[in-house]
Amino acid sequence: MYRKIAGMLFIMTLVFQNGCGTGKYADIKKVMGGIIDARERFAANAERAETPEEAADAITSLSAEMKKLRPRYEELEKKYPELQNPGDLPLELKELVESLGRTAEQRDSELTDIMMQYPDDPLVQRAVASMGTIYK
């Protein structure tokens, strides 16, 4: 009985350690997760947008979130140089980096659709221009 309890406690410790934001890469996982979530929200909002105002709001919301997350991500890229070389990524980060790539493609596709749908709208143009300053 004691062995079963001790074994369960050990397993729970391992699960909670990996699932509760601890470990070597907890800080970068949190930031990467935030970027992924922001991009997914943008894609959903952009897809639902039926007016130029809604499309501009989707872009502006993404810009605001990225303005908060981007500096932290860049800081962590310096802390973890292995992020610069996908071949050297630890296994626990590979899935997140792949998700970042997928959501970047979604973001770019939705932005392209918005710009093609509302090429002359001043609200959309301003939102896209402000977003460009974040990615410089």
Side-chain angles (χ1 to χ4, degrees):
M1 181 69 171
Y2 173 74
R3 284 186 176 181
K4 286 183 181 179
I5 293 173
M8 288 300 291
L9 288 174
F10 177 73
I11 291 171
M12 287 174 51
T13 303
L14 290 176
V15 169
F16 286 122
Q17 179 181 3
N18 290 330
C20 294
T22 61
K24 179 178 179 182
Y25 297 106
D27 49 356
I28 192 69
K29 286 178 183 178
K30 183 177 179 181
V31 173
M32 290 169 87
I35 293 170
I36 291 166
D37 291 344
R39 288 176 178 171
E40 288 175 343
R41 272 191 300 280
F42 164 73
N45 291 338
E47 197 172 297
R48 281 192 299 260
E50 295 180 2
T51 65
E53 292 81 13
E54 290 174 349
D57 285 344
I59 295 168
T60 303
S61 295
L62 176 62
S63 295
E65 289 186 68
M66 291 306 297
K67 191 176 270 190
K68 294 176 192 172
L69 292 167
R70 186 119 177 125
R72 182 74 176 125
Y73 182 79
E74 289 171 352
E75 176 184 310
L76 291 169
E77 278 184 318
K78 292 175 187 167
K79 181 178 177 182
Y80 302 113
E82 58 266 33
L83 294 174
Q84 301 298 322
N85 187 358
D88 293 339
L89 282 175
L91 190 57
E92 60 190 295
L93 294 180
K94 282 188 180 187
E95 287 181 24
L96 282 172
V97 170
E98 289 171 7
S99 291
L100 278 175
R102 278 192 306 276
T103 58
E105 289 174 12
Q106 285 177 319
R107 176 203 60 209
D108 294 346
S109 174
E110 292 298 334
L111 276 171
T112 302
D113 289 349
I114 288 171
M115 292 179 68
M116 290 182 74
Q117 195 170 11
Y118 308 110
D120 299 324
D121 187 82
L123 286 174
V124 171
Q125 289 176 355
R126 275 194 300 266
V128 171
S130 71
M131 181 179 225
T133 62
I134 294 169
Y135 288 98
K136 284 186 180 179

